């Protein structure tokens, strides 16, 4: 065990985020005895196991919240500051100049593409904002001693800067997602008479949720004990109301459940109940670049998948032969894939086991943990 202190800082993520807490912080805690997560949100200090979690509050005024984070980070007097959003990069510049600490910038997603795809502004304005952000982000990333990325495309994007750029894929922890998980008895009883099709993740306008509801109507004509679980945060009460209305209009309101998000460690409970995992994202540019973690979590739990034909999804499904690929804009094709898996359980089981084997051998967090600790070790050696 070494004596250096690590401080992970996030502006917009939950401090118990699956990557920040369950993967990186817990992995770093195996080597570094003092690991702290700083986040915004209701002000409090707590210890989750050996990890200290500090929420500094959040103001509507960006500078005030940034000041709180900055002062809290300064008070930690850490050797490593691990930042999870681009708006924290000015903090990196400030700390490097004054305190000679090591800065790690963790890039979760391809943010310029998210600006283009999800912005409510006119398309040309969104494209201009994305281009400006892209250049500013690359310039500020040079302040970091290391840049961690979650995809090969992001690795290429940041390759032009002088810092270390290392791909730390957001692969699942196989001690949590292992296919042998037994859900609580109450949960098993609740769905004992149903064949479960699961979507877990964000539930928003850009996630193809209406298409999944339409597919359920088709599937229900052949599968009578079907239940579609949509589990995750719903963005906006008006969108929730629209989805509930669509369920009633399609006469599938008894077949579809909107479930609130659960803590990360409880997600395997629901995957373990499922016969099919859905990862049918629309063909937006951002989804052609990001690896959906839900896909790998289904695979880790030996659940066969129905996946949209997008490059990141195709790569894993084809390599492991662990599911069926579909046109992500065609509800009938999605429905046919679900029916095939439910009507051919032996074929579905074989697909699930192949996916699980691929995760156990290659797509697992243990391999990424070694990379993460190597980055920290090299940064420490640089400062000696």
């Amino acid at each position: 065990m070494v004596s250096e202190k690590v401080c992970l800082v996030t502006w917009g993520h939950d401090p118990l985020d699956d990557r920040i807490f369950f993967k990186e912080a817990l992995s770093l805690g195996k080597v570094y005895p003092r690991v702290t997560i700083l986040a915004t949100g209701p002000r409090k200090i707590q210890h989750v196991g050996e990890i200290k979690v500090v929420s500094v509050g959040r103001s509507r005024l960006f500078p005030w919240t940034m000041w709180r984070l900055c002062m809290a980070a300064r008070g930690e007097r850490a050797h490593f500051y691990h930042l999870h959003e681009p708006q924290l990069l000015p903090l990196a510049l400030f700390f490097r100049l004054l305190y000679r600490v090591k800065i790690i910038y963790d890039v979760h997603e391809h943010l310029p593409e998210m600006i283009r795809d999800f912005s409510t502004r006119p398309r040309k304005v969104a494209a201009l904002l994305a281009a400006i952000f892209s250049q500013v982000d690359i310039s500020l990333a040079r302040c970091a001693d290391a840049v961690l990325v979650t995809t090969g495309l992001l690795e290429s994007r940041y390759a032009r800067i002088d810092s270390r750029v290392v791909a730390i894929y957001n692969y699942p922890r196989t001690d949590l997602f292992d296919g042998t998980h037994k859900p609580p008895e109450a949960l098993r009883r609740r769905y004992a008479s149903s064949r479960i099709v699961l979507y877990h993740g964000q539930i928003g306008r850009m996630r193809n949720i209406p298409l999944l509801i339409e597919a359920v109507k088709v599937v229900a004509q052949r599968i009578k004990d079907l239940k579609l679980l949509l589990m995750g945060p719903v963005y906006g009460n008006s969108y929730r109301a629209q989805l509930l209305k669509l369920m009633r209009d399609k006469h599938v309101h008894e077949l579809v459940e909107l479930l609130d998000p659960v803590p990360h460690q409880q997600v395997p409970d629901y995957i373990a109940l499922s016969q099919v995992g859905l990862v049918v994202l629309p063909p937006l540019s951002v989804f052609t670049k990001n690896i959906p973690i839900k896909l790998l979590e289904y695979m880790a739990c030996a659940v066969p998948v129905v996946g949209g034909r997008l490059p990141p999804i195709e790569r894993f499904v084809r390599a492991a032969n662990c599911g069926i690929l579909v046109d992500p804009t065609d509800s009938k094709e999605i429905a046919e894939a679900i029916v095939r898996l439910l009507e051919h359980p032996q074929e579905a089981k074989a697909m699930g086991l192949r996916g699980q084997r691929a995760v156990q051998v290659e797509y697992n967090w243990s391999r990424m943990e070694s990379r993460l600790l190597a980055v920290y070790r090299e940064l420490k050696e640089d400062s000696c």
Side-chain angles (χ1 to χ4, degrees):
M1 190 74 78
V2 296
S3 60
E4 284 80 4
K5 187 173 185 178
V6 176
C7 183
L8 299 98
V9 188
T10 177
W11 174 280
H13 290 84
D14 188 302
L16 301 184
D17 172 80
D18 68 300
R19 180 175 177 88
I20 296 172
F21 177 82
F22 283 95
K23 294 170 185 171
E24 292 175 335
L26 291 181
S27 292
L28 290 166
K30 295 177 181 179
V31 176
Y32 300 92
R34 296 177 295 167
V35 177
T36 298
I37 299 174
L38 297 182
T40 59
R43 299 183 72 170
K44 63 180 177 180
I45 299 175
Q46 58 181 320
H47 283 82
V48 184
E50 299 298 319
I51 309 299
K52 179 182 175 184
V53 179
V54 180
S55 296
V56 302
R58 175 178 283 187
S59 168
R60 293 182 180 179
L61 299 175
F62 173 84
W64 180 239
T65 303
M66 178 63 80
W67 176 255
R68 285 179 175 174
L69 271 178
C70 184
M71 290 299 98
R74 180 187 177 195
E76 289 299 317
R77 299 186 181 278
H79 300 81
F80 301 98
Y81 286 90
H82 190 141
L83 312 180
H84 287 269
E85 286 91 9
Q87 58 264 49
L88 297 173
L89 286 173
L91 180 68
L93 178 60
F94 177 68
F95 272 51
R96 278 198 71 178
L97 290 174
L98 290 185
Y99 304 118
R100 298 180 181 274
V101 296
K102 294 297 182 181
I103 301 293
I104 299 97
Y105 175 35
D106 201 322
V107 186
H108 292 216
E109 297 182 282
H110 200 292
L111 293 173
E113 297 297 339
M114 293 187 72
I115 294 172
R116 287 191 190 94
D117 288 341
F118 296 157
S119 176
T120 57
R121 295 178 174 86
R123 182 170 293 275
K124 289 184 178 180
V125 175
L128 177 61
L129 290 174
I132 293 171
F133 169 83
S134 181
Q135 293 304 313
V136 172
D137 177 60
I138 288 291
S139 297
L140 288 175
R142 299 179 193 276
C143 300
D145 297 284
V147 177
L148 309 184
V149 297
T150 56
T151 70
L153 286 172
L154 285 171
E155 190 174 15
S156 299
R157 167 174 157 74
Y158 289 93
R160 55 182 137 157
I161 68 175
D162 298 329
S163 305
R164 289 179 179 83
V165 179
V166 182
I168 309 287
Y169 299 112
N170 207 21
Y171 291 160
R173 279 178 46 188
T174 51
D175 58 331
L176 281 178
F177 297 84
D178 64 357
T180 63
H181 194 83
K182 290 187 177 180
E185 179 63 28
L187 198 60
R188 293 203 301 271
R189 286 200 303 268
R190 179 177 176 181
Y191 296 111
S193 60
S194 300
R195 284 192 275 184
I196 303 298
V197 177
L198 175 67
Y199 167 90
H200 91 83
Q202 296 181 16
I203 299 175
R205 298 180 188 278
M206 301 294 188
R207 302 286 169 166
N208 257 2
I209 305 302
L211 209 66
L212 302 183
I213 293 171
E214 291 175 11
V216 163
K217 183 174 182 179
V218 178
V219 175
Q221 296 171 7
R222 292 167 61 179
I223 306 293
K224 300 305 179 185
D225 52 355
L226 176 72
K227 181 74 75 172
L228 171 63
L229 302 184
L230 302 172
M231 184 174 72
V234 181
Y235 287 91
N237 290 331
S238 62
Y239 189 60
R240 176 184 288 272
Q242 288 178 31
L243 292 178
L244 293 173
K245 182 178 185 301
L246 178 62
M247 293 176 203
R248 291 192 297 269
D249 291 346
K250 297 290 182 181
H251 305 290
V252 296
H253 52 283
E254 294 184 353
L255 306 178
V256 183
E257 289 188 23
L258 271 177
L259 301 177
D260 291 333
V262 300
H264 181 65
Q265 65 271 32
Q266 293 178 21
V267 171
D269 292 341
Y270 290 85
I271 297 180
L273 290 171
S274 305
Q275 282 73 53
V276 179
L278 298 178
V279 56
V280 190
L281 299 169
L284 299 175
S285 180
V286 66
F287 295 137
T288 67
K289 295 178 171 61
N290 292 337
I291 299 171
I293 182 59
K294 63 177 72 65
L295 166 64
L296 296 163
E297 290 172 350
Y298 297 146
M299 291 169 61
C301 294
V303 172
V305 302
V306 173
R309 290 192 194 95
L310 301 178
I313 298 171
E314 281 192 274
R315 169 193 161 193
F316 291 98
V317 174
R318 289 192 187 281
N321 190 14
C322 61
I324 300 174
L325 293 167
V326 297
D327 178 351
T329 66
D330 188 335
S331 61
K332 291 184 179 179
E333 192 170 333
I334 296 168
E336 285 300 319
I338 294 171
V339 169
R340 176 179 160 187
L341 292 175
L342 293 178
E343 289 188 340
H344 298 86
Q346 292 305 313
E347 179 185 4
K349 181 179 179 180
M351 288 180 179
L353 290 173
R354 287 194 292 267
Q356 183 182 52
R357 177 62 177 165
V359 171
Q360 290 172 342
V361 171
E362 186 172 1
Y363 311 131
N364 59 77
W365 179 251
S366 294
R367 294 183 64 232
M368 297 301 103
E369 177 181 274
S370 299
R371 291 189 189 182
L372 176 68
L373 296 178
V375 170
Y376 272 75
R377 185 169 58 250
E378 290 165 8
L379 292 179
K380 178 188 174 184
E381 291 170 356
D382 286 350
S383 61
C384 293

